[in-house]
C-alpha cells in the first residue's frame, strides 16, 4: 500500500521494489556511452515528472546522486551547443578534450575569459575548470555571468535559479555513522554473495578487456568510473594468469577497497545534504525532514509512519506534524576565498578549510 499511486524515478532499485510500482530511468543508457551528462538526465527526467503529474500521481525522486536531484529541483544547469551522441563509442565532448590539457594551462585560459569563475576554482580541479571553459566556448558568455543570471531570477537564491516544483519536500534518511558503516560493509558482502563477481567478469570480458590490452582504459569517464568496477581491476586483469593464492589476495583487496570507497561516498552524500540543503538554505530550498534509520527494528515508528504523515500533509496542503531540519550556518563564511599557506605553498580555498588548516 505504501507504493500505491506512486511513480519512482531512480537508478537504484531492487527487483522486489520494481514489482510494487512503476520505476523509470533504469537501464536505458548503453554502458559504452561515456558522455552522458546531468543535462541529458534532466532533459529525460523532467518530461517524465510532468507525465506523472498529468496522471494525478506523485513522482518520487530517489538518490543516489544529489547533484542529479538538484538538476530537477532548480534551474541550475547550462545548456551548451554540443549534444552527446546516444550511440556507444568514444565521446565527442569538448569538456573531455579540455581535460586532457595541463591543469595550470586550463586555469590560465579560464582566468583570461572568466576571472571571477577562475578565482572560485582550484587549479587542480580540472573537471570544473574544463566545464567552465566549455560553457564559455559554446555559449560565448562567461560561466559566472550565467550563474548570476540564474540566481537573480525571481525565486532564485544561492543554490541557483527558481525552484521548479514549489510544493516539494526532501526526506533525508540518515543513520549513526557506526551503524551506517556496518550496514554498508554488509551490503558489499551481500553483493558478492549475490553474484557480483560473475557480473564484473562478464562486463570486463564484453567491454573492458580489449581496452586494457590496448592500454586505453579510462577510469575517469562513463560507466568505468562507477564505484564497484575499477576497485577490482587488478583481480580481473590477472585472473587466470596468476596463482590461486595471488588471485584470492587480489579479490580480497578489491572487496576491501569497495567497502572503503562505498563508506567514503556515503559520507560525501551526507556532507552534500548538510552543506547544500541545511547550512546554506536560500529562499528557494525545500524543507528537509530527517528520518533516523540507525535501528532497523524501529523502521515503522522512525521512518515509515512519519514519512507517510509528511507526504500526506503536503498532498493535503497542510503543515506536517514534523519540524524540518535546520542547521546553524555562518552567512559571512566565504567558501571560495583563496589563501596560500606560507609554510607549504599550497592554495587553500574556503574559510572553513583555512581554519582547519590553521588548527593543524
Amino acid at each position: 500500500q505504501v507504493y500505491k499511486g506512486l511513480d519512482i524515478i531512480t537508478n537504484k532499485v531492487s527487483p522486489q521494489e520494481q514489482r510494487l510500482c512503476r520505476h523509470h530511468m533504469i537501464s536505458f543508457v548503453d554502458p559504452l556511452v561515456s558522455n552522458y551528462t546531468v543535462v541529458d538526465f534532466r532533459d529525460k527526467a523532467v518530461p517524465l515528472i510532468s507525465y506523472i503529474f498529468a496522471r494525478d500521481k506523485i513522482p518520487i525522486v530517489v538518490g543516489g546522486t544529489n547533484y542529479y536531484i538538484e538538476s530537477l529541483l532548480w534551474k541550475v544547469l547550462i545548456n551548451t551547443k554540443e549534444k552527446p551522441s546516444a550511440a556507444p563509442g568514444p565521446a565527442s565532448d569538448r569538456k573531455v578534450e579540455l581535460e586532457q590539457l595541463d591543469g595550470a594551462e586550463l586555469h590560465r585560459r579560464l582566468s583570461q575569459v572568466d576571472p571571477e569563475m577562475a578565482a572560485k576554482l582550484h587549479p587542480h580541479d580540472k573537471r570544473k575548470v574544463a566545464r567552465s571553459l566549455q560553457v564559455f566556448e559554446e555559449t560565448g558568455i562567461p560561466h559566472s555571468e550565467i550563474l548570476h543570471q540564474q540566481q537573480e531570477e525571481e525565486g532564485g537564491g544561492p543554490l541557483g535559479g527558481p525552484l521548479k516544483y514549489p510544493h516539494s519536500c526532501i526526506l533525508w534518511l540518515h543513520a549513526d555513522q557506526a551503524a551506517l558503516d556496518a550496514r554498508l560493509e554488509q551490503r558489499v558482502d551481500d553483493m558478492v554473495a549475490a553474484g557480483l563477481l560473475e557480473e564484473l567478469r562478464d562486463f570486463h570480458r564484453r567491454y573492458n578487456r580489449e581496452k586494457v590490452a590496448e592500454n586505453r582504459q579510462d577510469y575517469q569517464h562513463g560507466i568505468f568510473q562507477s564505484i564497484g568496477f575499477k576497485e577490482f581491476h587488478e583481480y580481473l586483469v590477472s585472473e587466470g594468469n596468476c596463482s590461486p593464492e595471488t588471485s584470492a589476495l587480489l579479490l580480497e583487496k578489491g572487496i576491501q577497497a569497495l567497502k572503503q570507497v562505498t563508506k567514503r561516498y556515503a559520507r560525501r552524500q551526507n556532507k552534500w545534504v548538510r552543506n547544500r540543503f541545511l547550512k546554506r538554505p536560500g529562499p528557494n530550498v525545500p524543507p528537509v525532514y530527517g528520518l533516523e534509520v540507525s535501528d532497523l527494528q524501529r523502521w515503522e515508528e522512525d521512518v515509515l509512519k512519519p514519512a507517510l504523515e509528511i507526504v500526506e500533509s503536503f498532498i493535503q496542503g497542510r503543515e506536517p506534524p514534523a519540524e524540518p531540519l535546520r542547521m546553524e550556518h555562518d552567512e559571512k563564511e566565504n567558501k571560495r576565498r583563496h589563501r596560500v599557506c606560507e609554510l607549504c605553498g599550497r592554495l587553500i580555498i574556503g574559510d572553513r578549510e583555512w581554519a582547519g588548516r590553521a588548527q593543524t
Side-chain angles (χ1 to χ4, degrees):
Q1 291 299 314
V2 173
Y3 287 94
K4 186 176 181 181
L6 302 181
D7 277 59
I8 312 295
I9 298 173
T10 182
N11 63 346
K12 297 183 178 181
V13 62
S14 69
Q16 294 86 350
E17 290 171 322
Q18 290 190 57
R19 287 194 290 268
L20 289 171
C21 68
R22 186 174 181 182
H23 288 71
H24 304 269
M25 308 288 284
I26 301 173
S27 301
F28 67 97
V29 179
D30 187 285
L32 295 189
V33 173
S34 60
N35 55 342
Y36 188 87
T37 70
V38 64
V39 174
D40 302 302
F41 169 82
R42 179 206 61 188
D43 290 347
K44 185 173 179 64
V46 167
L48 271 172
I49 292 175
S50 299
Y51 165 71
I52 294 167
F53 275 132
R55 294 164 56 221
D56 291 326
K57 291 194 174 185
I58 304 169
I60 307 294
V61 181
V62 181
T65 310
N66 294 319
Y67 179 49
Y68 278 56
I69 293 177
E70 284 197 13
S71 76
L72 303 181
L73 287 174
W74 292 283
K75 182 180 178 181
V76 292
L77 300 180
I78 298 169
N79 294 327
T80 51
K81 297 176 183 177
E82 196 170 301
K83 289 296 294 179
S85 168
S92 177
D93 189 327
R94 179 56 178 158
K95 177 173 173 287
V96 175
E97 295 173 359
L98 288 168
E99 287 178 18
Q100 308 308 311
L101 300 176
D102 176 73
E105 170 62 16
L106 275 177
H107 200 263
R108 184 190 66 79
R109 291 190 186 185
L110 183 61
S111 299
Q112 292 176 338
V113 299
D114 191 350
E116 180 181 344
M117 186 58 69
K120 294 179 179 180
L121 298 177
H122 198 289
H124 294 167
D125 196 343
K126 291 180 68 173
R127 285 196 172 193
K128 290 185 179 179
V129 174
R131 173 56 179 164
S132 289
L133 269 175
Q134 179 198 19
V135 168
F136 177 78
E137 289 183 2
E138 296 181 3
T139 67
I141 305 172
H143 193 179
S144 59
E145 183 178 331
I146 297 177
L147 295 179
H148 283 310
Q149 290 173 358
Q150 290 180 346
Q151 293 168 3
E152 291 169 1
E153 289 183 29
E154 184 178 355
L159 295 181
L163 192 64
K164 294 179 184 176
Y165 309 102
H167 300 297
S168 56
C169 69
I170 297 171
L171 303 179
W172 179 32
L173 277 65
H174 59 90
D176 172 79
Q177 193 63 57
L180 178 60
D181 286 346
R183 197 172 298 160
L184 292 173
E185 293 207 5
Q186 184 60 52
R187 177 173 180 259
V188 171
D189 292 336
D190 291 344
M191 290 167 60
V192 173
L196 173 65
L197 297 182
E198 288 73 17
E199 183 179 336
L200 288 171
R201 290 190 189 101
D202 179 64
F203 193 87
H204 177 68
R205 183 178 64 254
R206 294 169 61 191
Y207 300 116
N208 201 45
R209 180 182 290 168
E210 185 178 334
K211 290 177 177 288
V212 172
E214 297 175 359
N215 196 30
R216 56 186 180 89
Q217 173 56 63
D218 178 10
Y219 285 119
Q220 303 301 318
H221 299 94
I223 190 66
F224 299 103
Q225 66 183 315
S226 301
I227 292 176
F229 185 70
K230 57 183 176 293
E231 287 74 24
F232 291 90
H233 174 83
E234 288 184 85
Y235 171 74
L236 292 169
V237 299
S238 64
E239 192 176 25
N241 299 314
C242 61
S243 68
E245 294 78 13
T246 299
S247 185
L249 287 173
L250 291 176
L251 173 58
E252 181 60 25
K253 179 181 177 181
I255 292 173
Q256 293 305 316
L258 178 54
K259 290 180 177 180
Q260 289 301 317
V261 296
T262 300
K263 291 187 288 188
R264 196 178 305 134
Y265 182 62
R267 283 174 168 79
R268 288 204 303 270
Q269 287 179 311
N270 287 331
K271 183 178 179 181
W272 184 289
V273 173
R274 294 188 184 98
N275 289 341
R276 301 285 290 183
F277 297 154
L278 298 177
K279 288 188 179 179
R280 296 196 305 161
N284 59 344
V285 179
V288 180
Y289 297 92
L291 300 171
E292 174 64 50
V293 296
S294 296
D295 185 358
L296 294 182
Q297 299 298 318
R298 292 185 51 83
W299 176 266
E300 295 218 359
E301 304 97 308
D302 294 345
V303 183
L304 181 57
K305 185 174 182 291
L308 291 175
E309 289 176 345
I310 292 167
V311 173
E312 189 173 313
S313 298
F314 269 81
I315 294 173
Q316 297 176 354
R318 56 184 173 83
E319 285 294 318
E323 284 290 324
L325 294 175
R326 292 181 176 86
M327 295 184 70
E328 291 187 5
H329 62 285
D330 184 359
E331 295 184 359
K332 296 181 180 179
E333 178 186 348
N334 188 328
K335 297 174 70 68
R336 295 298 186 181
R337 196 192 313 274
H338 284 216
R339 297 183 180 91
V340 176
C341 176
E342 295 181 358
L343 295 177
C344 65
R346 283 186 57 193
L347 175 63
I348 310 297
I349 297 181
D351 291 347
R352 191 179 308 171
E353 288 73 11
W354 178 256
R357 183 80 177 173
Q359 292 174 1
T360 59

